[in-house]
Amino acid sequence: VSMWEFAGETTRFIFKHNMTEFIESAHETAEEFPTSFFGVALNGNSWEMETKLNRVGGEDGWIATQVMKTIASDGRMRRWQWELRKNRRPPCMGCWYVESIGSSDRKGNFDPS
């Protein structure tokens, strides 16, 4: 399973539904920016889920968030807030996909806005 499998329509549109270009871009970003999401995903020292999955609206909710903490290859920490969406139509009805990933600042804080 790859990140592409969890990509939403926006990501697929940006990469013109070309998984190869998506993977190449992820590797280029990882090499250039060690604290980027792809940098820590591909080359980082560690990651951990800091929170449980928060389903907005309870168990029947179709939007969820979760916070992950990562340590980059150069030792810098970053936190990520994942926004997940549940497909409500075919294909893949009921499957979760990544809508967005928000990054913290260098201290691990999220912008309050």
Side-chain angles (χ1 to χ4, degrees), residues 3-105:
M3 189 67 185
W4 183 256
E5 300 299 320
F6 297 100
E9 274 306 307
T10 302
T11 299
R12 292 172 185 266
F13 175 79
I14 289 168
F15 288 96
K16 299 178 179 134
H17 292 269
N18 186 324
M19 184 172 65
T20 302
E21 284 186 21
F22 172 76
I23 292 169
E24 288 172 354
S25 176
H27 282 278
E28 289 170 7
T29 301
E31 293 304 315
E32 190 170 346
F33 304 104
T35 59
S36 69
F37 176 75
F38 291 118
V40 294
L42 296 172
N43 304 321
N45 289 336
S46 67
W47 63 270
E48 67 175 280
M49 300 312 286
E50 284 194 322
T51 64
K52 293 183 178 183
L53 189 69
N54 173 36
R55 290 180 75 161
V56 179
E59 287 302 310
D60 293 329
W62 56 274
I63 299 174
T65 60
Q66 193 164 22
V67 176
M68 170 193 276
K69 176 181 167 183
T70 60
I71 306 296
S73 58
D74 62 7
R76 290 185 283 176
M77 185 271 295
R78 187 77 79 206
R79 295 172 68 228
W80 308 89
Q81 182 172 1
W82 294 67
E83 180 185 339
L84 308 168
R85 301 277 175 112
K86 192 173 190 178
N87 275 331
R88 298 187 296 165
R89 299 182 197 96
C92 300
M93 193 162 94
C95 297
W96 290 90
Y97 66 92
V98 178
E99 177 67 20
S100 65
I101 305 172
S103 174
S104 71
D105 64 18

